[in-house]
Amino acid sequence: MPEPTRKDETANGRPEEDVNSLKKLSIELPNDSVPATGRKDSVWSLGDGQGPDDLEKPIDTPPRSTLLIESPQSAVILVGGDITFVAKVEAKDLLRKPTVKWFKGKWMDLASKTGKHLQLKETFDRLTKIHTFEMHIVKAKDNYAGNYRCEVTYKDKFDSCSFDLEVKEAEQGSQNIDIRSAFKRSSEGQEDAGELDFSGLLKHREPKPEDDTPEVDVWDILKNARPDQYEKIAFTYGITDLRGLLRRMKKIPKEVKKSEAFAKKLDPAYQADKGGKIRLVVDLADPTVDLKWYKNGQEIRSSPKFIFEHKGTQRIMVINNCSMNDDAAYSVAAGDEKCSTELFVKELPVKIVKDIEAVKTTVNERVELECEVSEEGAQVKWMKNGVEVPTGVRSRYRVKCEGTKHFLVIDDASREDTGTYSVMATGGTSEAHVQVDLKPLKVLRDLEDAKVLLGQPIKLQCEISPGNVPGRWYRNGQLIQPNDRINIVHRNRVHRLEIAAGSLHDAGDYTFVPEGYSQSLSAKIHIFDPPRVHLESMNFPDNTVTIVAGNKLRLEIPISGEPAPRVVWMKGERVILESGNRVRAETCGDQTSLTIDVTEREDIGNYKIVLQNEAGEATASVKIKVVDIPDPPEAPLVPAVGGDWCSMIWEPPKYDGGSPILGYFIERKKKQSSRWMRLNFDQIKETSFEPKKMIEGVPYEVRIFAVNAIGVSKPSEPSKAFTPLAVTSEPTMLVVDDVTDTTVTVKWRPPETIGAAGLDGYSVEYCIEGTDDWIVSNNALTEKTKYTITGLTTGSKILVRVKAINAAGASSPRTIQHSVLVKEVIEPPKIRVPRHLKQTYTRRVGEAVNVVVPFMGKPRPKVTWLKEGTAIDPTHVNIRNTDCDSIIFIRKAERSHSGKYEMAVQVENHVDTAVLDIQVVDLPGPPQCVNIEDVWGGNVALVWTPPKDNGNAQIIGYTIQKADKKTMEWYTCIEHYHRTCITIPELVVGNEYFFRIFAENMCGLSETATQTKKSALIVKEGMQLKTHDYSDHDFMEAPKFTQPLINTFAIAGYNATLNCSVRANPRAKVIWMKNKMAILDDPRYRMFSNQGVCTLEIRKPSPYDGGMYTCKAINDLGEAQVDCKLEVKGGFTFYELMKRGVPLHLIDKYMNEKTVEQEK
């Protein structure tokens, strides 16, 4: 939080609140201890400085756009209090939020001072479109007093408002304060101790006895003492907290003497822009007093710059066209009194109106850089490459100024003047690049290359412009100096170099460089001699060299020629380069060499040496013969593969390396591996081999090495990858699955051994009994283990076999042992009713009925449906039959569709039936009549009869509602009530009620309710209740089955349960029977009875557990029984027994027992 200067009183002695209207902005600066006699930089004041009579005159201030609709106002608070200043800006015409800044004094931005004691807040009201900006000062201190300013900016609009804050503290008389005890440091750290009191941290000492010195009023001593004596006085009277003492003295109001000469003094400070006008106004108490104005202690005389005006008691000094010289301390003397102020002249930044432009010129030309600034006489600084340009007498640079234009002149430009020039003013910078180049050089005649025989004169000549440019001659970068043999001539534009007799050292690159230019002229001088090859010194027979492959060969052949000839080694049309890796040619001095690091068979042939230079050409040839190992054979072939072996063949290599083939080595590796294994250690003379001991299913590769007297060839390319594979074992358990008049269906199990080659499929073949002509039934392999052979002749007998096929081939066939007669076998029909259809199948009216009933039988059974013994109308019920099931479909069920549907499946004389009970239910009707049987107290007894239409479903309850006769608003009393009589209690006495009842079944409540015709009036007390005599109900009942047993299908090996429910009083004894025989102590049966529900559990039934089961209930009043049929699936048909190879007499016995059971 900033610490603004507290203004207890203004400079002229009046309280601060009297001059708040002047809206002055002040801030305490660090050098506030400077005495008032000299120039004081402690207070800045922004004000108009005009007297009351000049308020009507226009003020030379920039126009402001009014953005603030509510400005913060000056205020006065006590120390420790809180205050909020509010500024509001209307945002109707603003596209975005304006920028608001809060300042204290002139420049202190309060946005960086926010914290515990200062908080800034911004809000926006979308309804009124007003931005609200708040500044909160929390627990104000006395140094928070001062002038504040709020500035609002939006694009090119600006508005501001100044306001003052005064912080007051309750005055306390100095006579009531014991100054010595108040500013003594204590270990207890009282409130009056100074802020820097660290005495509480010191070691406690015993208190000293109080001094009996007589009391002295230290305040009077301090008031009359000079500030430099404060420390001495505090030490004398035992005051240790000097800082707290000084802070308290600042708070003591000072008595300001009223001026006798001035009614209003000058403001502490004024500010004006450079070139502007400022008015200094004082108000005299005595107009007759002589007045003198001073500037820095020098009296000011009237002049066009300083104008003195008199208006009543006001004395005004106007300073026109303010300059920086006017920034000084001003004072006015009236008699013996004097008041002072300061004028601060704010210099406006000088802007560059016209930038300097880039210049490109040549040497010795005049360069002039020009710029224009916004103010005449402004100071600018010229820079070159960031360094200030010297402008002294001996400098090459001249600076001149013509009004607002400034010039930098270079009379005789040189290349060193190239660079980036910039001009700097207080309001901007401009820069440009100056490029000074040499005058272009023109080559009228260039140097020409020359070829000179050894000993002949050499002459080089060129012609350039300008002609007065000297130059130097160089040979191979070395400066040439003239001597007895070399002569250098320069005449006007012609430059010539003459050498008397050329030698080998005179050959090279000659260059002429004009002085001062980067351009140069070049030419080459060649001194040459015809080349020669000295092959006779090598002593090779017929110029032929023989070498074993793999050795290094280096041929060094002497040569001569000047200049050094260009040597080219060639083999055929191919040039051998020096940069070759294995074969390379090298030339060094007077010899050339051919190097072959590792000789190979490809190196055989004639090598030609070609020497060339300017004098001519020479050639020679050398023949090289290389003895090598044979070529690798071609990749071997693998024609046959077994389970752990293969056979391989190959062809001999095309080139034997100049020596007969002695034999072969064979290697083998797994395809995924990189390790080769040799299969033979003795050379094989033949071109075939049979590797063994390979792993089945693993891919392998093989390769061949050829051997001659020189060595072993490189390996051949690996063969194509092959995998040792074995055929599978034969399929297993081949049986006949189905036979028709034209087809036979067989099925089998996969082979026991399949192997690494896997199984691609099966091939099914058949032949007519008595022939050996096997016919392939499936053209494409089948992956299934079941296949149907079609197109057979009825009555014929066939044999069938199946082969398993994989990549290794076909397995051994699996053949059916006996011939198969092509004739369909009759299979009795059997209906397989789903479990959910064995009970009543219930659907609501309007829902779809979709019932699927599967069945079995061969040939395709004939299916018929009856409803209650009559044929089904196909317009109401859709029936669709397939080979294995029958479907009943009703799109929208109606109650007329309810009933028992009988399904009959017939194959020739064999018939199987099943009954489906379909129930279509709907909402019930309302009860038939509802009567009020009796009314007593707050109770009403209701009696009703069940509805006439129960919706084809059992009524499961009733919903009773009541309504007051006055409002007839219905309220539910009870839901899901099962009886047909009820007593409604807790009715309000004096009210009259109607009642209505809804019936409910599994579909829901009835659409309408039956209402009582009469109302029930609940009378007040005093009425007698009529009681009726009731006889006890006899609950004794003979056994009666409320839920019968249902015919059930069970699966062999899975537990089955039979359930029924019986009602009897007294409790009945339950007996379970199978085929009319009581079930007693049989561990395969478990019997349960709970709340009238009887259950018989059959553990893991077999086909022999099928039959007729009976549940019998007996008590003293009678007996009852229910029956059901249990069929256990999982038995065998005649056809299945035949396929399993069961003897005929056992099959006949089993079928007879089964027929007897079905008849029973």
mmCIF file of all heavy atoms in Angstrom, residues 602-617:
data_model
loop_
_atom_site.group_PDB
_atom_site.id
_atom_site.type_symbol
_atom_site.label_atom_id
_atom_site.label_comp_id
_atom_site.label_asym_id
_atom_site.label_seq_id
_atom_site.Cartn_x
_atom_site.Cartn_y
_atom_site.Cartn_z
ATOM 1 N N GLU A 602 36.757 -62.804 -61.788
ATOM 2 C CA GLU A 602 36.323 -61.728 -62.684
ATOM 3 C C GLU A 602 37.476 -60.826 -63.112
ATOM 4 O O GLU A 602 37.331 -60.027 -64.041
ATOM 5 C CB GLU A 602 35.248 -60.884 -61.986
ATOM 6 C CG GLU A 602 33.919 -61.586 -61.765
ATOM 7 C CD GLU A 602 33.949 -62.504 -60.576
ATOM 8 O OE1 GLU A 602 34.996 -62.534 -59.890
ATOM 9 O OE2 GLU A 602 32.945 -63.220 -60.333
ATOM 10 N N ASP A 603 38.597 -60.932 -62.427
ATOM 11 C CA ASP A 603 39.738 -60.078 -62.767
ATOM 12 C C ASP A 603 40.508 -60.586 -63.981
ATOM 13 O O ASP A 603 41.473 -59.958 -64.424
ATOM 14 C CB ASP A 603 40.680 -59.980 -61.570
ATOM 15 C CG ASP A 603 39.990 -59.365 -60.359
ATOM 16 O OD1 ASP A 603 39.089 -58.524 -60.567
ATOM 17 O OD2 ASP A 603 40.333 -59.730 -59.215
ATOM 18 N N ILE A 604 40.158 -61.752 -64.518
ATOM 19 C CA ILE A 604 40.851 -62.300 -65.695
ATOM 20 C C ILE A 604 40.562 -61.421 -66.895
ATOM 21 O O ILE A 604 39.429 -60.989 -67.117
ATOM 22 C CB ILE A 604 40.400 -63.744 -65.959
ATOM 23 C CG1 ILE A 604 40.770 -64.627 -64.758
ATOM 24 C CG2 ILE A 604 40.995 -64.288 -67.245
ATOM 25 C CD1 ILE A 604 40.257 -66.042 -64.870
ATOM 26 N N GLY A 605 41.607 -61.149 -67.712
ATOM 27 C CA GLY A 605 41.418 -60.396 -68.949
ATOM 28 C C GLY A 605 42.596 -59.517 -69.268
ATOM 29 O O GLY A 605 43.620 -59.517 -68.573
ATOM 30 N N ASN A 606 42.451 -58.727 -70.343
ATOM 31 C CA ASN A 606 43.480 -57.800 -70.804
ATOM 32 C C ASN A 606 43.222 -56.424 -70.199
ATOM 33 O O ASN A 606 42.088 -55.922 -70.235
ATOM 34 C CB ASN A 606 43.482 -57.696 -72.327
ATOM 35 C CG ASN A 606 43.993 -58.978 -72.974
ATOM 36 O OD1 ASN A 606 44.888 -59.632 -72.438
ATOM 37 N ND2 ASN A 606 43.414 -59.351 -74.109
ATOM 38 N N TYR A 607 44.268 -55.834 -69.645
ATOM 39 C CA TYR A 607 44.190 -54.507 -69.047
ATOM 40 C C TYR A 607 44.971 -53.551 -69.928
ATOM 41 O O TYR A 607 46.115 -53.828 -70.301
ATOM 42 C CB TYR A 607 44.746 -54.515 -67.629
ATOM 43 C CG TYR A 607 43.863 -55.265 -66.648
ATOM 44 C CD1 TYR A 607 43.876 -56.651 -66.587
ATOM 45 C CD2 TYR A 607 43.012 -54.569 -65.804
ATOM 46 C CE1 TYR A 607 43.066 -57.331 -65.697
ATOM 47 C CE2 TYR A 607 42.196 -55.242 -64.899
ATOM 48 C CZ TYR A 607 42.228 -56.633 -64.858
ATOM 49 O OH TYR A 607 41.427 -57.305 -63.970
ATOM 50 N N LYS A 608 44.369 -52.430 -70.258
ATOM 51 C CA LYS A 608 44.947 -51.448 -71.171
ATOM 52 C C LYS A 608 45.327 -50.198 -70.402
ATOM 53 O O LYS A 608 44.559 -49.729 -69.563
ATOM 54 C CB LYS A 608 43.947 -51.104 -72.275
ATOM 55 C CG LYS A 608 44.498 -50.167 -73.337
ATOM 56 C CD LYS A 608 43.453 -49.918 -74.407
ATOM 57 C CE LYS A 608 43.973 -48.981 -75.483
ATOM 58 N NZ LYS A 608 42.928 -48.707 -76.511
ATOM 59 N N ILE A 609 46.561 -49.683 -70.709
ATOM 60 C CA ILE A 609 47.038 -48.450 -70.074
ATOM 61 C C ILE A 609 47.046 -47.370 -71.142
ATOM 62 O O ILE A 609 47.671 -47.544 -72.202
ATOM 63 C CB ILE A 609 48.451 -48.632 -69.491
ATOM 64 C CG1 ILE A 609 48.501 -49.867 -68.588
ATOM 65 C CG2 ILE A 609 48.870 -47.386 -68.725
ATOM 66 C CD1 ILE A 609 49.895 -50.230 -68.127
ATOM 67 N N VAL A 610 46.372 -46.251 -70.862
ATOM 68 C CA VAL A 610 46.306 -45.121 -71.806
ATOM 69 C C VAL A 610 46.884 -43.905 -71.109
ATOM 70 O O VAL A 610 46.453 -43.545 -70.016
ATOM 71 C CB VAL A 610 44.857 -44.860 -72.251
ATOM 72 C CG1 VAL A 610 44.822 -43.670 -73.214
ATOM 73 C CG2 VAL A 610 44.257 -46.095 -72.902
ATOM 74 N N LEU A 611 47.924 -43.281 -71.741
ATOM 75 C CA LEU A 611 48.559 -42.073 -71.234
ATOM 76 C C LEU A 611 48.259 -40.930 -72.194
ATOM 77 O O LEU A 611 48.436 -41.076 -73.410
ATOM 78 C CB LEU A 611 50.074 -42.242 -71.111
ATOM 79 C CG LEU A 611 50.605 -42.931 -69.838
ATOM 80 C CD1 LEU A 611 50.167 -44.380 -69.801
ATOM 81 C CD2 LEU A 611 52.116 -42.818 -69.758
ATOM 82 N N GLN A 612 47.829 -39.800 -71.631
ATOM 83 C CA GLN A 612 47.475 -38.641 -72.465
ATOM 84 C C GLN A 612 47.971 -37.367 -71.789
ATOM 85 O O GLN A 612 47.914 -37.242 -70.575
ATOM 86 C CB GLN A 612 45.949 -38.538 -72.641
ATOM 87 C CG GLN A 612 45.332 -39.633 -73.487
ATOM 88 C CD GLN A 612 43.824 -39.440 -73.636
ATOM 89 O OE1 GLN A 612 43.237 -38.707 -72.870
ATOM 90 N NE2 GLN A 612 43.236 -40.098 -74.616
ATOM 91 N N ASN A 613 48.507 -36.468 -72.619
ATOM 92 C CA ASN A 613 48.722 -35.081 -72.213
ATOM 93 C C ASN A 613 48.629 -34.209 -73.453
ATOM 94 O O ASN A 613 48.256 -34.703 -74.538
ATOM 95 C CB ASN A 613 50.055 -34.918 -71.464
ATOM 96 C CG ASN A 613 51.268 -35.181 -72.350
ATOM 97 O OD1 ASN A 613 51.132 -35.435 -73.550
ATOM 98 N ND2 ASN A 613 52.463 -35.113 -71.780
ATOM 99 N N GLU A 614 48.934 -32.912 -73.306
ATOM 100 C CA GLU A 614 48.754 -31.998 -74.445
ATOM 101 C C GLU A 614 49.666 -32.329 -75.612
ATOM 102 O O GLU A 614 49.382 -31.954 -76.756
ATOM 103 C CB GLU A 614 49.006 -30.558 -73.986
ATOM 104 C CG GLU A 614 47.949 -29.989 -73.049
ATOM 105 C CD GLU A 614 48.173 -30.447 -71.628
ATOM 106 O OE1 GLU A 614 49.028 -31.336 -71.416
ATOM 107 O OE2 GLU A 614 47.476 -29.940 -70.719
ATOM 108 N N ALA A 615 50.718 -33.071 -75.308
ATOM 109 C CA ALA A 615 51.671 -33.356 -76.383
ATOM 110 C C ALA A 615 51.313 -34.597 -77.177
ATOM 111 O O ALA A 615 51.853 -34.809 -78.264
ATOM 112 C CB ALA A 615 53.067 -33.516 -75.799
ATOM 113 N N GLY A 616 50.441 -35.498 -76.661
ATOM 114 C CA GLY A 616 50.100 -36.694 -77.406
ATOM 115 C C GLY A 616 49.512 -37.757 -76.523
ATOM 116 O O GLY A 616 49.037 -37.502 -75.412
ATOM 117 N N GLU A 617 49.620 -39.032 -77.050
ATOM 118 C CA GLU A 617 48.979 -40.142 -76.363
ATOM 119 C C GLU A 617 49.816 -41.394 -76.560
ATOM 120 O O GLU A 617 50.438 -41.580 -77.612
ATOM 121 C CB GLU A 617 47.567 -40.359 -76.900
ATOM 122 C CG GLU A 617 46.823 -41.519 -76.276
ATOM 123 C CD GLU A 617 45.429 -41.670 -76.834
ATOM 124 O OE1 GLU A 617 44.839 -40.644 -77.269
ATOM 125 O OE2 GLU A 617 44.900 -42.796 -76.835
#
